[in-house]
Amino acid sequence: MSAQLFVVATPIGHLDDMTFRSIEILKSVSLIAAEDTRQSAQLLKHYNISTPLTACHDHNESNKIDILIEKLKNGENLALVSDAGTPLISDPGFKLVRAAQENGIKVVPIPGACAAIAALSAVGLPSDRFSFEGFLSSKQSQRLIQLEKLKNETQTMIIYEAPHRILECVKDMANVFGNDRPVGFAREITKTFETIRKMTLQELVAFIENDHNQQKGEIVLVIGGAPEEKNLDQEKLDELLTRLLQDLSVKAASQLAADLTGIKKKVAYQRALELSDKV
Ligand code: SAM
């Protein structure tokens, strides 16, 4: 059988969150490519895993790939781990996985902890549709542009943020998304000071400002999506606009239709314009 690259999730805090399978796989491979070998060495020690480690991080991933692919081609099974959670999720590994795939090597996920999914599973916001946005920019001007782009997103959004930026980031979110937008705050998941709360963005600003401990540790923010536009069928909208256009201008009719139905003004205006010829 040809060699395989195992992408192995590791705990995001609580060491017991390794799966039986992940331990078996890490024991069985000939080499483990790790984001930080010192960090992973502690995990391996805890589980009595003696497999050698080699560094594979953002700064050397491109150079390391050729060596690792060569080993895989020679029939050696390898594992990829990051410091915590699932590799590739705001962590290195993408280039190696892509190279393995391009070289016809089977890539096998060994699922486990992921802070984004753990947060989503516990904060109590809709989880049927969500987007993972990773880390926003550390520059405020850039972050505001990113938030503006997300403002009308209707699905739940998951964001990672560093503790020293959490307050300014949540303040920016409140400014762009509005004070009343619901937010899930998941800090230090699986660790001693685990804090999982759901509130509004305005409340979260106060919560973080009043308790400096909330600006420490690792944090996931889960933002509720923008309210869905009301679902109005085309026939009803046309009926309403046709009636309004008998007495009002295109601009006034579309404004009123938007106010009454909750659909976007631009959408109502465009349709009113199309219908105005026929009225
Ligand atoms: N690969 C990891 C995963 O699967 O979640 C994420 C790595 S990323 C470099 C680190 C970020 O993940 C942190 O800044 C924080 O936003 C989030 N994170 C990781 N562990 C966490 C924890 N125990 N509690 C809350 N957030 C955590």
Side-chain angles (χ1 to χ4, degrees):
M1 240 173 76
S2 58
Q4 299 178 329
L5 172 65
F6 296 96
V7 182
V8 182
T10 57
I12 55 168
H14 201 303
L15 280 182
D16 288 356
D17 288 336
M18 281 293 274
T19 66
F20 291 123
R21 188 164 171 237
S22 65
I23 297 167
E24 285 312 308
I25 293 288
L26 292 182
K27 279 182 178 167
S28 74
V29 295
S30 64
L31 185 65
I32 301 169
E35 182 183 6
D36 178 345
T37 52
R38 279 174 306 175
Q39 176 89 15
S40 297
Q42 291 175 24
L43 181 77
L44 299 197
K45 191 167 169 231
H46 183 82
Y47 284 102
N48 288 320
I49 300 168
S50 52
T51 310
L53 287 159
T54 186
C56 184
H57 43 68
D58 277 340
H59 307 293
N60 77 347
E61 194 176 353
S62 302
N63 302 332
K64 213 50 183 280
I65 284 172
D66 291 346
I67 301 167
L68 296 174
I69 295 293
E70 209 42 51
K71 286 183 183 292
L72 286 156
K73 281 183 167 170
N74 287 337
E76 285 186 49
N77 285 336
L78 305 186
L80 169 70
V81 297
S82 61
D83 286 356
T86 303
L88 280 82
I89 308 301
S90 291
D91 265 343
F94 165 65
K95 289 180 191 153
L96 177 60
V97 166
R98 182 178 57 184
Q101 205 182 52
E102 285 168 0
N103 281 277
I105 291 148
K106 192 172 173 195
V107 180
V108 181
I110 307 297
C114 174
I117 300 302
L120 182 67
S121 72
V123 295
L125 283 166
S127 54
D128 51 341
R129 288 168 60 241
F130 63 89
S131 66
F132 174 65
E133 304 297 333
F135 287 94
L136 298 179
S137 174
S138 56
K139 289 199 190 110
Q140 190 185 33
S141 57
Q142 199 54 39
R143 185 166 63 233
L144 288 170
I145 293 170
Q146 292 172 323
L147 291 174
E148 278 296 338
K149 283 190 190 154
L150 295 173
K151 187 178 171 176
N152 296 318
E153 176 56 71
T154 54
Q155 58 191 348
T156 298
M157 291 158 275
I158 305 175
I159 288 166
Y160 285 166
E161 190 50 280
H164 62 278
R165 261 197 306 272
I166 191 69
L167 184 57
E168 54 175 297
C169 178
V170 175
K171 279 184 176 172
D172 285 346
M173 284 177 179
N175 284 334
V176 177
F177 296 157
N179 283 332
D180 296 332
R181 184 73 76 90
V183 57
F185 177 77
R187 188 176 75 90
E188 294 287 88
I189 303 168
T190 76
K191 303 189 216 176
T192 310
F193 296 107
E194 182 179 85
T195 309
I196 309 229
R197 297 286 174 87
K198 185 178 70 174
M199 52 191 115
T200 65
L201 281 169
Q202 187 175 33
E203 288 165 342
L204 183 57
V205 170
F207 180 66
I208 298 171
E209 258 174 346
N210 295 336
D211 178 359
H212 280 261
N213 286 328
Q214 303 307 333
Q215 296 177 42
K216 293 177 187 162
E218 297 193 279
I219 300 164
V220 182
L221 294 171
V222 184
I223 320 294
E228 293 270 357
E229 254 185 67
K230 281 196 188 138
N231 205 357
L232 187 77
D233 68 42
Q234 189 70 44
E235 209 179 313
K236 290 238 167 63
L237 175 65
D238 286 1
E239 241 173 60
L240 177 66
L241 282 171
T242 306
R243 175 65 195 88
L244 291 173
L245 284 167
Q246 286 169 7
D247 298 318
L248 299 170
S249 67
V250 167
K251 193 171 169 216
S254 53
Q255 176 68 66
L256 194 52
D259 289 347
L260 289 171
T261 63
I263 65 162
K264 283 209 177 91
K265 210 171 112 188
K266 210 166 131 193
V267 175
Y269 184 81
Q270 192 53 43
R271 189 61 188 150
L273 213 58
E274 288 163 9
L275 291 171
S276 61
D277 293 342
K278 298 173 198 155
V279 176

